Amino acid sequence: MEKIVPTSPGDPRRPLGPRDPGDAWVDGDRGQFWGRFGSAGLLAHDAGKGVLLQHRATWSHHGGTWGLPGGALHQGEDPVTGALREAYEEAAVPEQNVRVLFTSVFDVGYWSYTTVAVEVVEPFEPAISDPESIELDWIPIHEVAGINLHPAFAASWPALSEKLLDHRRPLRHDGR
């Protein structure tokens, strides 16, 4: 059975308390997770720059680590839309400059997180647009594992990077 724990007024993420019913912690037998309706993050890849990562504000969950721009889904919002919205809110990622490659879901039954991997089709410079970031940076794929990653992102990075690299490889003549 899940338990919903809303943020309190004064939380730096939402200084006046939750702005959306999805902005709440969910507790259950597998732990506590952010996002009443689940969460999603955007794994943006630019072939010339690397992947866009967010250095998380120290007051945030696992603050000071690097992860994906993302956050709580709104009620009824699909994960792709939510990840694109959150990446725009946190890092000014323009939706029209990216193309969805694949999604990857981590699901504990009462909560799920969807990583939405996108390819940058028109270059852009990210910009910090809310208090959840210390900095934003493009990190080459081969350097990501060597930085201080959010633990959940660190655990998922090997599979995500392999899938991301598979999408970059040209198809052979037999279609594989």
Side-chain angles (χ1 to χ4, degrees):
M1 180 70 178
E2 70 183 78
K3 176 183 170 194
I4 308 302
V5 183
T7 59
S8 59
D11 180 332
R13 177 189 332 260
R14 306 286 182 251
L16 303 175
R19 70 172 180 206
D20 184 89
D23 290 343
W25 291 99
V26 179
D27 288 319
D29 60 351
R30 301 268 312 265
Q32 183 180 63
F33 301 96
W34 179 251
R36 182 177 180 193
F37 309 113
S39 291
L42 196 76
L43 175 58
H45 178 253
D46 182 305
K49 297 178 184 176
V51 295
L52 177 61
L53 295 183
Q54 172 192 56
H55 193 186
R56 300 165 56 81
T58 56
W59 53 261
S60 68
H61 190 244
H62 295 290
T65 62
W66 290 82
L68 302 178
L73 296 175
H74 292 174
Q75 187 169 12
E77 185 175 50
D78 70 88
V80 171
T81 301
L84 290 167
R85 174 186 53 75
E86 285 282 343
Y88 180 76
E89 289 174 4
E90 295 180 3
V93 175
E95 180 178 345
Q96 67 275 13
N97 291 41
V98 299
R99 179 180 66 87
V100 175
L101 296 173
F102 64 88
T103 61
S104 177
V105 180
F106 171 74
D107 192 339
V108 297
Y110 57 92
W111 180 87
S112 66
Y113 182 90
T114 303
T115 300
V116 178
V118 298
E119 169 187 34
V120 174
V121 294
E122 181 69 33
F124 65 91
E125 284 305 316
I128 295 174
S129 46
D130 79 0
E132 295 181 31
S133 302
I134 295 171
E135 64 182 308
L136 300 165
D137 203 359
W138 295 99
I139 309 293
I141 289 178
H142 65 277
E143 294 179 18
V144 172
I147 62 175
N148 183 25
L149 299 176
H150 182 285
F153 181 56
S156 64
W157 178 244
L160 289 170
S161 62
E162 184 175 323
K163 197 166 183 180
L164 193 59
L165 289 170
D166 283 347
H167 275 79
R168 290 184 51 208
R169 292 187 184 109
L171 292 176
R172 298 184 335 202
H173 291 294
D174 61 3
R176 294 186 289 183

